[in-house]
Amino acid sequence: NAGVMQNPRHLVRRRGQEARLRCSPMKGHSHVYWYRQLPEEGLKFMVYLQKENIIDESGMPKERFSAEFPKEGPSILRIQQVVRGDSAAYFCASSFTDSGETQYFGPGTRLLVL
Amino acid sequence: ELKVEQNPLFLSMQEGKNYTIYCNYSTTSDRLYWYRQDPGKSLESLFVLLSNGAVKQEGRLMASLDTKARLSTLHITAAVHDLSATYFCAVGGSEKLVFGKGTKLTVNP
């Protein structure tokens, strides 16, 4: 049973470009969470999605960031017009339900903005 | 707003010694989680603590929860080098988790 998969694992973008981060949850999981980790910091919640729905995006910056989890395919975190401050590790987690079950984390995408 | 504080943030200890990492949180919450992260890696789930007085042990690690004090501890017994990593506590029920800043543990021979 494959775990949470994320790709790419490393992504380099120049300022102003777009970054697309993909997350495939564990088999059978329909709840996806995105977190951002700055160097030497803990993870900060960004957004929580179920299939085709955004449930909570309270941690998402209001501009340039968007997320989706379509009926078919992986969840996508999209960052438009990236800036140096977007450089971070972005982790996706999934859970079977939203009843406080353990969230299982993917390997992360390390984004570097030059 | 839920806040989670861990201490210490850095811990250097010798093999064979015992130590405790503390995790305080500001508001009542359903569950408390402990995760381990190795450098450049993802987070590995260690423990989920659900109720007051809960205690869980795995190898040299033991976690406990006091919901009245809003405090969880992660106790390390007879540390070995393989335990070197960053340990995070996280609090939450459904939906989002709020993480502490992590405790970077280094176990020296």
Side-chain angles (χ1 to χ4, degrees):
Chain A
N1 184 16
V4 179
M5 298 173 66
Q6 288 186 250
N7 68 83
R9 297 288 302 276
H10 299 273
L11 183 60
V12 179
R13 285 288 179 265
R14 296 193 180 278
R15 280 178 296 171
Q17 291 184 319
E18 178 180 287
R20 280 188 179 235
L21 288 61
R22 294 175 188 79
C23 168
S24 296
M26 285 180 72
K27 188 175 180 180
H29 286 190
S30 60
H31 300 259
V32 166
Y33 314 80
W34 285 93
Y35 293 84
R36 176 163 63 177
Q37 184 180 33
L38 295 171
E40 308 299 326
E41 293 281 328
L43 278 71
K44 295 280 196 289
F45 169 80
M46 298 181 74
V47 62
Y48 162 44
L49 309 103
Q50 294 180 31
K51 283 285 186 181
E52 299 185 278
N53 289 304
I54 296 174
I55 307 302
D56 181 352
E57 55 182 349
S58 59
M60 194 98 97
K62 294 288 186 286
E63 297 178 351
R64 302 189 297 109
F65 285 72
S66 63
E68 62 176 8
F69 188 16
K71 187 176 180 182
E72 302 290 338
S75 175
I76 307 281
L77 179 68
R78 183 181 175 206
I79 311 172
Q80 295 179 290
Q81 299 177 318
V82 295
V83 300
R84 289 217 174 110
D86 296 333
S87 295
Y90 291 83
F91 289 96
C92 165
S94 73
S95 65
F96 181 63
T97 70
D98 63 353
S99 301
E101 284 200 9
T102 298
Q103 294 181 17
Y104 294 91
F105 283 80
T109 295
R110 274 124 185 112
L111 172 65
L112 175 62
V113 179
L114 301 177
Chain B
E1 181 188 346
L2 174 58
K3 293 188 187 304
V4 179
E5 289 190 2
Q6 279 183 245
N7 70 84
L9 297 184
F10 298 92
L11 177 56
S12 180
M13 53 192 299
Q14 288 200 308
E15 281 190 329
K17 298 292 187 184
N18 304 333
Y19 209 83
T20 301
I21 299 170
Y22 298 88
C23 174
N24 290 91
Y25 54 99
S26 59
T27 61
T28 303
S29 188
D30 295 342
R31 296 164 187 241
L32 189 135
Y33 304 81
W34 284 97
Y35 287 90
R36 168 183 171 146
Q37 185 179 38
D38 291 292
K41 304 290 186 182
S42 187
L43 279 75
E44 174 192 353
S45 176
L46 296 175
F47 302 108
V48 181
L49 302 169
L50 305 179
S51 59
N52 189 41
V55 177
K56 290 196 175 179
Q57 183 163 7
E58 180 73 34
R60 300 174 188 275
L61 301 178
M62 183 173 71
S64 65
L65 178 62
D66 180 344
T67 57
K68 292 179 182 176
R70 296 182 190 144
L71 170 69
S72 179
T73 60
L74 181 67
H75 188 73
I76 303 151
T77 302
V80 293
H81 181 69
D82 286 352
L83 289 180
S84 296
T86 299
Y87 293 84
F88 291 97
C89 65
V91 178
S94 57
E95 301 186 10
K96 65 185 177 186
L97 296 179
V98 179
F99 282 80
K101 289 193 172 184
T103 297
K104 187 172 183 178
L105 171 66
T106 304
V107 181
N108 303 303

